[in-house]
Amino acid sequence: MKLIAGVDIGNSTTEVCIGAIEDNGRFRFLSSASRMTTGTKGTLPNVHGIKAALTEAMERIHEPVERLSLIRLNEAAPVIGDTAMETITETIITESSMIGHNPSTPAGAGEAVGRLIFLENLWKGEAGAAYIVAVSNRFSYEEAAARLNQFLPELDIRGLILQADEAVLVENRLNRKMPIVDEVKHITRIPEGKLAAIEVALPGTSVRMLSNPYGIATLLGLDAQETKAITPIAKSLVGKRSAVVIRTPHGNMRENILPAGEIHLKGEKDLQVNIDAGADVIMEAVAQAGEIQDITGQDNTNVGNMLKRIKNGMAEVAGSKGDEIRITDILAVDTLAPVEISGSLAGETCMEKAVGIAAMVKTQHLPMQQIADRLEEELHVKASVAGVEAVMASLGAMTTPGTRLPLAILDMGGGSTDAAVLEPDGSVRTTHQAGAGELVSMLIQTELGLGSRVTAEQIKKYPMGKVESLFHMRLENGAMQFFPESIDPRYFGHVVLLAPGEMLKIEEDIPMERILEVRQDAKKKVFVRNAIRALRTIAPGNDLKNIPNVVLVGGSAEDFEIPEMLMAALSEYRIVCGRGNIRGTEGPRNAVATGLLMSYLGEKHQG
């Protein structure tokens, strides 16, 4: 009996399929396994993940890896994703010229304008002048309230800025109601004697004056030039419940603007497109360029630096020279990215328009043969590079019950989307395009301002709910789920992700509706757009109506909402679309690894 392994190296996972050719020539599929891909797809570090997946698959049939006669690898093209901002205006502010803030537990309501003074210096205050009092952690809320009440009859105190999270505790002890902003971590940076404006909105509403450049100008008496300069701060406070903006007229303010830049497409047509034009115009230029040999960016611009960084990164991991690295496809999507405002007290950000880009990076010599050689050396098993990813996926998809030729497949992985049409006469049309699951994760992380890519991945994979009591939660679709046992109090009031067998709490304070909007929008921008782009490329006459049915394979086909999104989008072209079920057992996974074994049988038969 001859044992053969098919190995599919993906951006996220490495999948293995084991088959046996018996002495009578009969073929059987025996087992499969998958492991996380180690290193960048298509590079030598992949060997560790391949060996782990092979070991697991062989253990399931109680055989050592050395019993394999042949390992067949797919041709893996690495895909690297990054983002490029359309416009970045970094306002560098010294002496805290303008500061925005958004604590989550303010007290009181309304606006207040006055000179800043620290609590310990209230004795220096002058009658007739309006003050905003800053209170550091050295005072307890009881001490702060007592001292304020002592001076309230003499001084015109309009509002408070607290370092501690104690706004409500202080308010309850004051003899006069006023807006109070708390949780100002770096309160010692506040410049005493400068003019400040604070605003606290009523529950359920957001600030109006300090989220409006002209509102800030009205409260602080700014001229037109100063009003333009504080626009990023006003933008950062949109939708916030409380804010403080401080004016220091002698502050040094300058703008450092790095141009967004142009993308240069070298293809059947050489084209240039400015990234400021947005994703739609960029993708139209990519389509018009035809088959692309390379993509570069304008020097000393955002997109130029980004594309250069991608190429240099690939050259390093692949051990290639810089001039051997080519970008052969990109997927651009419009997004928003948080840009931190320099000089802020609490890391305030404003959302700036950006373009997210996934780039397909290839070397002149695809390093797959190096991987095959390393496997032979370490495992003492013959290894060969066997087939194009999309073709192998088509062969594997044919094992889905209920399919027939002609058959189109969409293989949606972590970094790329492959499509192929397999005709009854055996001819195959394929395309390999940048952009899939990793770009979606990047967009979710960027738009939600998440500190962790892991959280973004989890948001992409799992549905959500909000724990509204210890015995029920509201699901993202509006339904209520009740529990016979009490929910862990740690989850109360939080948005949670409903992973299999557990709840994952989202630490960031982001409304569930906002997370849902960003998640679904990111998936539509990447998966739906790329699927239609890929299918149109391989369709006879570039007409989607010439494709009768599509089988979805790859890791992203397991997603709980992407297949339904694609079914809805492709239904207008009367295309039957659904998840594959490879070999009737594997679901949409393992298509390429299975196809690698089937292609070997075909080659053997032809031979």
Side-chain angles (χ1 to χ4, degrees), residues 154 456 458 460 495 581:
E154 306 170 23
Q458 292 170 338
K460 177 183 73 176
V495 177
N581 189 15

Side-chain angles (χ1 to χ4, degrees), residues 250-266:
H250 303 296
N252 176 29
M253 186 181 302
R254 76 179 192 274
E255 290 182 330
N256 178 26
I257 303 173
L258 184 64
E262 291 183 343
I263 297 174
H264 301 157
L265 306 170
K266 183 180 179 183

Side-chain angles (χ1 to χ4, degrees), residues 19-36:
I21 300 176
E22 297 178 348
D23 296 336
N24 59 7
R26 186 173 170 231
F27 178 81
R28 289 186 297 133
F29 290 108
L30 298 179
S31 71
S32 59
S34 67
R35 286 294 181 95
M36 294 293 293

Side-chain angles (χ1 to χ4, degrees), residues 320-326 364:
S320 303
K321 296 179 182 178
D323 56 3
E324 295 179 345
I325 304 296
R326 296 177 294 116
Q364 288 183 356

Side-chain angles (χ1 to χ4, degrees), residues 447-522:
E447 290 203 26
L448 294 178
L450 302 173
S452 167
R453 176 61 69 89
V454 173
T455 302
E457 284 279 347
Q458 292 170 338
I459 287 173
K460 177 183 73 176
K461 289 169 61 177
Y462 304 124
M464 292 177 294
K466 183 169 185 181
V467 180
E468 296 186 333
S469 80
L470 294 182
F471 290 92
H472 88 281
M473 74 166 63
R474 176 169 52 92
L475 303 178
E476 65 177 50
N477 62 3
M480 293 292 181
Q481 182 174 352
F482 294 88
F483 297 84
E485 302 288 336
S486 173
I487 300 171
D488 189 326
R490 291 177 301 165
Y491 299 127
F492 177 71
H494 286 273
V495 177
V496 295
L497 300 171
L498 306 177
E502 63 176 329
M503 295 181 188
L504 304 172
K505 183 171 73 172
I506 296 177
E507 298 295 341
E508 287 82 359
D509 185 17
I510 307 171
M512 182 168 66
E513 293 75 14
R514 172 63 180 158
I515 299 173
L516 177 63
E517 177 190 11
V518 168
R519 186 193 74 208
Q520 293 184 340
D521 195 41

